[in-house]
Amino acid sequence: MTKSQQEQEEEESQTNTPPAPPPPPPWAWIKAVNNILANPPFEEPTEMPVQLLPWLYLSDEYHSIRQINRLLALGVTHVLS
């Protein structure tokens, strides 16, 4: 069996196609991350635990385990460590 001239030309054009260049670096994203690191848009909480949702608080180990009175005042019943 012989291939038609058109099929041969299609195969040759597909095999001779150079690979696509890599995508450009995401400069906008890199700049945004650098801006966040240089000027954080957040502040450290002054009082722990911090309420995330009406039923969910976030804290570190010191404030969540050693300051039981604060947890009781907030109505916290369970602590995951």
Side-chain angles (χ1 to χ4, degrees), residues 4-50:
S4 70
Q5 188 176 11
Q6 183 181 6
E7 289 175 340
Q8 288 177 351
E9 287 176 4
E10 286 177 4
E11 284 182 4
E12 287 177 8
S13 67
Q14 290 175 358
T15 57
N16 293 336
T17 305
W27 294 116
W29 182 84
I30 292 170
K31 183 179 182 217
V33 169
N34 285 336
N35 287 341
I36 290 171
L37 294 175
N39 305 308
F42 56 87
E43 294 180 17
E44 293 276 335
T46 57
E47 196 171 297
M48 293 287 238
V50 177

